[in-house]
Amino acid sequence: MSYVHHVRAFHGLPVYTFPPCADPADLPDAGSVAWRLSCGQYMSDDDATTRWQRFTETVELEKVRAVVLGHPWYGWDCGGGDRYLIDARERLTALEAVFLGDLEDEESMISTIGLHDLAPLLEAFPGLRELAVRGGEDLDFPVTGHQELRSLRVESGGLPPEAAEHIAAAELPSLERLELWLGDDWYGGGTTVEQLAPLLAGQGKPALRHLGLQNSPVQDELAAALASAPVVSQLRTLKLSMGVLSDTGAEALLHGQPLTGLDELDLSHHFLSHAMMLRLWKALEPAGVRVDLSGRSEPDEDDDEEDGDGRYIAVSE
């Protein structure tokens, strides 16, 4: 199963790729789509500049609600595409959503999609409601707060622990949805449960209803922490998918605080026994909790990592 693909819809809008040449009369209304800008994997920064200039001259920027940036704005050894948005902030007055790094594996491995400090983007757009980023290399989030952000999603094979720690501590009073692919320390990850402590304690994000702590090699430890974490009581959806969850983590969830207040518990891509899967289903499905137990995996018998047990996360390189 591929977890990394071009987005087809974003911020409730269909994604429309801005064409290299087109009659303005043939383009959709500026506010009716999420505009995807991509020149293909073999194009240069000069091509990006030319494409962006055509976009700003052809589309009514004042009506644009969502922008998705692909290559060459993002890719290997580049990650400053949001400066185009920041420079145009006086015209992008309706911008509500941004996706940075919309690349597939054929264009760039997720571990080599360069990002950077996201604070300038959030400062430039105080009305931003949704931010999604793919990558992780050099990513940081030194943001103490943002009043309007409703959704934050970071897709990464290795989310820098400092960035995860900053996100966990940020004051985001309107945030309803948070998804973090924590990733492998081999690719720059390594976030610990302790670094997520403010998030788990329910601090700074009173509107949070959907939480994903995913794609982690410490999924059992996260499950154990969430078994007693105050944040769970405010959630409707909890995702512990894409990681190395075993019976140990599932046992902690079953013996922790009640999860019957959830609408959905997503544990897909896991290493649970069939017996444990049945126990989870019997404990939660009758209470109305949708439990996603798809993607059961077996440990890799050829794993030669020191201290490795053959379990693996869904997305790394």
Side-chain angles (χ1 to χ4, degrees):
M1 176 180 179
S2 175
Y3 290 88
V4 181
H5 50 78
H6 289 311
V7 292
R8 297 181 179 179
F10 181 56
H11 198 56
L13 301 169
V15 172
Y16 177 85
T17 302
F18 182 70
C21 54
D23 188 326
D26 296 330
L27 297 177
D29 179 79
S32 66
V33 299
W35 293 90
R36 182 174 187 269
L37 288 108
S38 176
C39 298
Q41 64 187 105
Y42 301 111
M43 300 302 171
S44 67
D45 289 343
D46 290 338
D47 295 301
T49 300
T50 300
R51 187 71 57 86
W52 178 260
Q53 183 176 348
R54 285 198 60 255
F55 176 68
T56 61
E57 292 173 349
T58 307
V59 176
E60 293 181 82
L61 293 193
E62 292 77 8
K63 295 173 62 177
V64 170
R65 297 171 54 202
V67 173
V68 176
L69 293 179
H71 188 87
W73 287 271
Y74 288 88
W76 181 80
D77 197 31
C78 59
D82 58 342
R83 73 177 184 272
Y84 290 85
L85 299 173
I86 294 171
D87 289 345
R89 61 185 179 275
E90 292 185 2
R91 291 186 60 196
L92 288 167
T93 53
L95 189 65
E96 297 177 341
V98 174
F99 191 118
L100 306 178
D102 181 39
L103 288 83
E104 296 183 322
D105 290 339
E106 292 76 12
E107 297 169 301
S108 176
M109 293 186 299
I110 195 170
S111 60
T112 61
I113 299 176
L115 295 164
H116 62 115
D117 181 347
L118 296 177
L121 177 67
L122 289 168
E123 292 170 1
F125 296 98
L128 199 68
R129 290 172 172 257
E130 183 169 1
L131 176 60
V133 298
R134 179 175 295 162
E137 186 174 355
D138 297 324
L139 175 66
D140 201 1
F141 195 91
V143 178
T144 56
H146 191 282
Q147 293 299 308
E148 296 299 325
L149 198 64
R150 263 69 167 174
S151 176
L152 175 60
R153 177 181 175 92
V154 182
E155 301 177 358
S156 181
L159 175 60
E162 186 177 50
E165 187 172 7
H166 286 157
I167 292 170
E171 294 285 336
L172 302 170
S174 299
L175 194 71
E176 299 171 357
R177 183 178 298 273
L178 174 63
E179 294 187 18
L180 302 178
W181 296 11
L182 298 173
D184 199 319
D185 54 3
W186 184 260
Y187 294 100
T191 299
T192 65
V193 171
E194 290 73 22
Q195 288 174 304
L196 299 175
L199 171 62
L200 300 178
Q203 299 173 6
K205 302 170 182 65
L208 190 66
R209 298 294 179 267
H210 309 277
L211 175 62
L213 297 175
Q214 302 158 258
N215 201 44
S216 173
V218 295
Q219 210 76 59
D220 283 344
E221 290 89 334
L222 287 169
L226 284 160
S228 60
V231 71
V232 173
S233 64
Q234 70 187 62
L235 299 178
R236 307 303 300 173
T237 302
L238 176 60
K239 293 185 176 183
L240 295 174
S241 59
M242 304 172 60
V244 299
L245 186 71
S246 73
D247 284 6
T248 300
E251 191 76 47
L253 290 174
L254 286 173
H255 283 87
Q257 62 187 306
L259 300 177
T260 51
L262 296 173
D263 293 330
E264 181 177 2
L265 175 64
D266 183 355
L267 304 179
S268 57
H269 181 87
H270 58 82
F271 294 83
L272 303 178
S273 66
H274 290 292
M276 179 57 74
M277 292 169 65
L278 182 59
R279 286 180 62 193
L280 284 164
W281 187 88
K282 285 184 174 180
L284 296 174
E285 286 281 354
V289 183
R290 295 188 301 274
V291 185
D292 188 344
L293 294 169
S294 62
R296 181 180 182 273
S297 302
E298 294 285 352
D300 183 357
E301 295 181 357
D302 298 324
D303 182 15
D304 57 2
E305 294 279 338
E306 185 177 353
D307 299 325
D309 61 6
R311 291 180 294 157
Y312 51 90
I313 61 175
V315 177
S316 54
E317 61 182 348

